[in-house]
Amino acid sequence: MNQLAPLRTGHSACPHDCPSTCALDVEILGPATVGRLRGAKGNSYTAGVICAKVARYAERIHSPNRLLKPLQRVGGKGAGEWREIAWDDALDLVAENFLAAEARHGSESVWPYHYAGTMGLVQRDGIHRLRHAKRYSNQFDTICTNMAWTGWFAGAGRMTGVDPREMAKSDCVVIWGTNAVATQVNVMTHAVEARRTRGATIVAIDIYDNATMAQADMALKLRPGTDGALAAALMHVAFRDGTADRAYMARFTDDPAGLEAHLKDRTPEWAAAITGLAVAEIEAFAALLGRTKRSFFRLGYGFTRQRNGAPAMHAALSVPAVYGHWQYEGGGAFHTNSGIFGLDKSLIMGTALRDPAVRSLDQSRIGAVLTGDRAALSDGPPVAAMLVQNTNPANVAPEQRLVRQGLAREDLFVCVHEQFMTDTAKLADLVLPATMFLEHDDIYRGGGQNHITLGPKLVDAPDTVRTNHFVIEELARRLGVADRPGFGLSERELIDDMLRRSNRGTLAAIEEGRWLDCQPDFETAHFMTGFGWADGKFRFRPGWQGVRLGPDTPPASLGPQGPVADLPEWPDHASLNEAADEKHPFKLATSPARQFLNSTFSETAGSRSRERRPELMIHPEDAAVLGLAEAELVTIGNHRGEIRLHATLTEAVRPGVVVHEGLWANSDFLDGEGINTLVGADPVAPCGGAAFHDTKVWIVKGS
């Protein structure tokens, strides 16, 4: 049957956990029906391009597997036995269990747990309003940005960077530690435009030959965790060959003479032995940077998800400061623009209600928290009740066995508000069906770009699903805090209040314009008026101990995280990673899949068929030693657990390195346990975080 012509085109923004936050044009085929989604051509960053998985969003919003009714568990946890329950009864049940937990153990025994299943500022962050009003346990967010943001802030002192659209005006685009083809398609849009119009060289730096490496003019395949060594060698060559911009450093950096002395023996030969690159590759890259003033460093998250991630980011960020690239249009560096927007979400989040004495629990250590680890609980009460929105910890969190063990406690009440029956929902006591982004009002800001974009309700939701905002409001009413500031307002009223408080106009104005371009001017974005520290200097010496290190600094009650004393004083290679050893001779990275976004889209047929099945990428030399053939089963494990999956033999990975792409559902693995069974949750220095790409493992053929 031919698809009906769209009745109209609506406008929105992609809500998912991606820096691009693409502006969207949406085919609307009826009151509750959407067709294809496209990138908005009028948005200067999206530039008409979006990823294929979001273009197929109709497949997700109209999926036959979507949750449509509130469900209450009637069998054992995880047994899959449910009964339908009315919405009012379900919300009453949540409130009763929260009040019972509070009566037994105090308010901190309730833990609202959330993250970035939607990046909408109302539907995501409203859970904090309830948290603070009720004095429930806080959440220290550690699963995503901590190492990257800490490393950037340690040098630049501000979470901003060069206008990302300037990639198109660059003569060399360095894509470091992110598979942009799979995870940030707009990065490639602007990088390829620079190559087309200016003859720019695209350099990709990663640990395996992924889709971005395939599109690069220079592809540098490092050993995992050695980015700091490469950065140090690049700066050594700049000082050695006279391509370091000494005038720039004298004006804008803290101690270039000290850095030069430190780097004296950080030669390309030294770095080659650590990184696995050839000396000639390092020399060629350094020469390219030395002769190319307009070199743009697009620094990703992937290379920081290691135990040396913060110093790796700081070292990479130091490179354009040594070469002076910041002075030129199309030069400098970018990681996130999260610091440019200045949005006052105080009413959405209920920040006036926050009590700093209430404990904070580490998001990444949910397994330890739920299994009663006293340190993880800050010597406080057990977690006895949870509301989970916008995340799937039974699948995405590290130390998966502990997480699932904790969620399976019979004395723990868990309510999951979700769109599909995720691994976490399967372990819940109560599952509530949630709207999708085209079915509610929200507003978004793009950390990977420069726009605030409105996402209005475009189609009607099924009658039986509810927004995150609705659930928070209804629980507040049942829990006796609905009279507190921020409650009782609609999404649109909260959006308008935030914009007005932030001097970003009004809801009516952004409705008319669709988005706001918040990009600072050239001098500010390029730090030509000074970096974010009081002296205006970029810090080659970050001072990891005893200072505020950006927005991810741990609460005072938690203090510095990990082996802070072992962090390097200068940009350097840091030997903090989980090292391969005789018993665990392989290093595992859990990289993103092109058709999934974390665990989202792993439930849709189109994405699943394109990714095929969970597989382990292994080098043919390693396969020969193990006696492995293509597609054979392997068991991979360490002290945290073991899983089985199929091997795919490829020279895309280095010998000794294995890669698993994508967050498949646990049930897609042969034994019902996912890849994060193997990943550690020990906090990374200095501000915590999960080292998803830093795992030592053993591998054996078969089962």
Side-chain angles (χ1 to χ4, degrees):
M1 181 182 294
N2 293 328
Q3 187 182 59
L4 296 175
L7 299 178
R8 61 187 176 95
T9 299
H11 308 299
S12 190
C14 179
H16 288 289
D17 187 10
C18 168
S20 292
T21 319
C22 293
L24 303 175
D25 293 334
V26 183
E27 292 180 350
I28 300 174
L29 306 178
T33 308
V34 302
R36 187 170 178 82
L37 278 62
R38 294 180 172 83
K41 293 182 179 179
N43 183 283
S44 55
Y45 185 77
T46 301
V49 178
I50 61 172
C51 65
K53 53 187 174 284
V54 173
R56 301 191 303 269
Y57 212 84
E59 179 184 25
R60 189 167 192 274
I61 196 170
H62 302 309
S63 170
N65 297 321
R66 184 175 175 182
L67 285 171
L68 294 177
K69 299 284 183 63
L71 299 172
Q72 183 182 11
R73 175 174 67 91
V74 294
K77 283 204 172 185
E81 299 176 24
W82 307 92
R83 72 173 184 91
E84 292 184 12
I85 182 173
W87 262 102
D88 280 342
D89 293 339
L91 293 167
D92 288 345
L93 183 64
V94 178
E96 289 168 10
N97 277 274
F98 281 18
L99 291 170
E102 185 175 351
R104 290 195 308 271
H105 304 291
S107 63
E108 290 183 336
S109 67
V110 181
W111 191 17
Y113 191 92
H114 87 300
Y115 206 55
T118 177
M119 299 294 279
L121 303 184
V122 176
Q123 305 293 348
R124 181 190 67 190
D125 296 334
I127 196 170
H128 294 297
R129 193 164 67 256
L130 181 66
R131 182 197 310 278
H132 299 325
K134 288 293 297 177
R135 302 184 78 253
Y136 293 153
S137 282
N138 291 307
Q139 177 176 295
F140 176 37
D141 295 340
T142 57
I143 208 164
C144 182
T145 64
N146 286 50
M147 293 85 88
W149 285 15
T150 299
W152 178 282
F153 195 89
R158 194 169 68 230
M159 298 310 301
T160 65
V162 172
D163 187 336
R165 295 167 294 191
E166 283 188 34
M167 276 183 284
K169 300 177 180 180
S170 178
D171 295 322
C172 173
V173 179
V174 180
I175 302 173
W176 196 321
T178 182
N179 184 7
V181 170
T183 62
Q184 297 178 61
V185 65
N186 309 97
V187 169
M188 299 308 300
T189 299
H190 297 287
V192 170
E193 177 67 9
R195 181 162 61 189
R196 184 184 69 84
T197 60
R198 303 182 59 82
T201 300
I202 297 176
V203 180
I205 303 170
D206 217 310
I207 64 166
Y208 73 114
D209 292 326
N210 52 42
T212 304
M213 296 276 274
Q215 290 199 22
D217 303 297
M218 180 184 290
L220 302 176
K221 186 161 61 175
L222 308 175
R223 294 189 180 116
T226 64
D227 306 83
L230 173 60
L234 296 172
M235 293 183 284
H236 168 94
V237 172
F239 284 115
R240 183 198 70 190
D241 292 356
T243 52
D245 192 326
R246 296 182 181 278
Y248 175 84
M249 286 189 288
R251 180 180 175 190
F252 287 106
T253 70
D254 62 343
D255 190 358
L259 177 66
E260 183 175 11
H262 166 72
L263 295 173
K264 208 72 174 176
D265 60 353
R266 299 313 196 251
T267 64
E269 290 76 13
W270 166 84
I274 295 171
T275 63
L277 297 174
V279 171
E281 290 180 290
I282 299 171
E283 292 279 9
F285 184 27
L288 173 65
L289 296 176
R291 66 176 180 267
T292 311
K293 300 300 185 183
R294 294 189 180 204
S295 290
F296 189 110
F297 285 70
R298 183 57 173 91
L299 303 177
Y301 286 97
F303 78 108
T304 71
R305 289 181 176 142
Q306 306 174 69
R307 289 168 178 79
N308 66 8
M313 171 63 84
H314 175 257
L317 179 61
S318 297
V319 175
V322 168
Y323 284 90
H325 295 139
W326 287 101
Q327 302 166 87
Y328 307 99
E329 186 178 36
F334 181 83
H335 171 66
T336 179
N337 251 339
S338 58
I340 72 172
F341 299 103
L343 293 175
D344 184 343
K345 298 185 289 182
S346 57
L347 208 59
I348 294 172
M349 298 178 66
T351 52
L353 306 171
R354 188 178 187 277
D355 182 350
V358 173
R359 71 175 175 185
S360 293
L361 301 175
D362 187 336
Q363 171 194 29
S364 295
R365 300 198 68 206
I366 180 176
V369 168
L370 295 186
T371 53
D373 182 284
R374 298 306 306 167
L377 288 165
S378 297
D379 290 320
V383 171
M386 298 179 71
L387 170 65
V388 180
Q389 286 186 325
N390 311 323
T391 189
N392 181 15
N395 179 259
V396 307
E399 296 183 356
Q400 186 181 108
R401 284 187 175 174
L402 274 184
V403 178
R404 295 173 67 196
Q405 179 185 334
L407 289 170
R409 283 171 35 209
E410 286 293 340
D411 65 336
L412 171 67
F413 174 81
V414 179
C415 173
V416 173
H417 189 200
E418 253 296 355
Q419 298 162 345
F420 291 88
M421 187 59 78
T422 63
D423 290 309
T424 307
K426 291 175 182 178
L427 292 169
D429 298 279
L430 186 67
V431 179
L432 305 177
T435 52
M436 296 193 190
F437 78 104
L438 298 172
E439 300 166 341
H440 56 235
D441 292 310
D442 216 331
I443 192 166
Y444 307 85
R445 65 161 182 77
Q449 45 134 322
N450 45 282
H451 293 99
I452 299 170
T453 308
L454 188 66
K457 177 182 175 181
L458 296 180
V459 294
D460 294 333
D463 291 340
T464 50
V465 307
R466 300 288 185 269
T467 67
N468 289 359
H469 179 70
F470 172 89
V471 169
I472 297 303
E473 289 287 312
E474 287 297 308
L475 289 179
R477 185 169 64 82
R478 288 166 169 81
L479 293 165
V481 294
D483 60 336
R484 308 295 170 84
F487 293 105
L489 301 176
S490 69
E491 292 100 326
R492 293 174 59 82
E493 288 170 325
L494 288 168
I495 291 168
D496 190 61
D497 173 83
M498 180 191 69
L499 292 171
R500 291 176 185 273
R501 287 173 183 263
S502 311
N503 296 316
R504 291 294 186 185
T506 64
L507 173 60
I510 199 171
E511 279 186 305
E512 183 177 349
R514 295 180 57 184
W515 51 70
L516 298 173
D517 187 341
C518 302
Q519 180 62 42
D521 59 27
F522 176 91
E523 286 74 19
T524 302
H526 286 252
F527 296 100
M528 298 306 294
T529 56
F531 287 87
W533 301 106
D535 60 3
K537 305 284 190 179
F538 181 90
R539 287 185 172 178
F540 288 133
R541 300 180 71 175
W544 299 109
Q545 301 185 57
V547 297
R548 177 167 174 78
L549 288 172
D552 285 330
T553 300
S557 61
L558 294 179
Q561 303 287 291
V564 179
D566 295 335
L567 294 170
E569 180 182 6
W570 299 93
D572 206 347
H573 173 66
S575 299
L576 301 175
N577 279 14
E578 191 168 274
D581 55 33
E582 185 176 354
K583 187 175 180 181
H584 307 85
F586 297 94
K587 287 300 298 286
L588 165 70
T590 58
S591 302
R594 187 167 187 171
Q595 303 299 330
F596 299 161
L597 203 166
N598 300 325
S599 65
T600 305
F601 296 99
S602 65
E603 68 280 314
T604 58
S607 290
R608 291 175 62 83
S609 64
R610 289 168 173 82
E611 294 297 337
R612 198 169 68 154
R613 65 184 178 189
E615 294 180 336
L616 186 71
M617 302 168 67
I618 185 167
H619 194 277
E621 291 179 11
D622 293 326
V625 172
L626 294 167
L628 273 179
E630 177 68 24
E632 278 196 278
L633 275 178
V634 297
T635 302
I636 175 173
N638 55 26
H639 64 285
R640 302 178 187 103
E642 63 286 323
I643 62 171
R644 291 188 299 154
L645 68 172
H646 293 86
T648 181
L649 279 51
T650 173
E651 294 185 354
V653 295
R654 285 181 167 274
V657 177
V658 292
V659 172
H660 171 72
E661 290 187 328
L663 271 176
W664 288 87
N666 299 341
S667 57
D668 289 317
F669 289 81
L670 294 170
D671 301 308
E673 293 186 290
I675 195 68
N676 284 323
T677 299
L678 309 176
V679 174
D682 49 301
V684 174
C687 293
F692 285 103
H693 304 331
D694 179 14
T695 302
K696 64 181 182 181
V697 293
W698 48 258
I699 301 173
V700 296
K701 179 179 177 179
S703 55

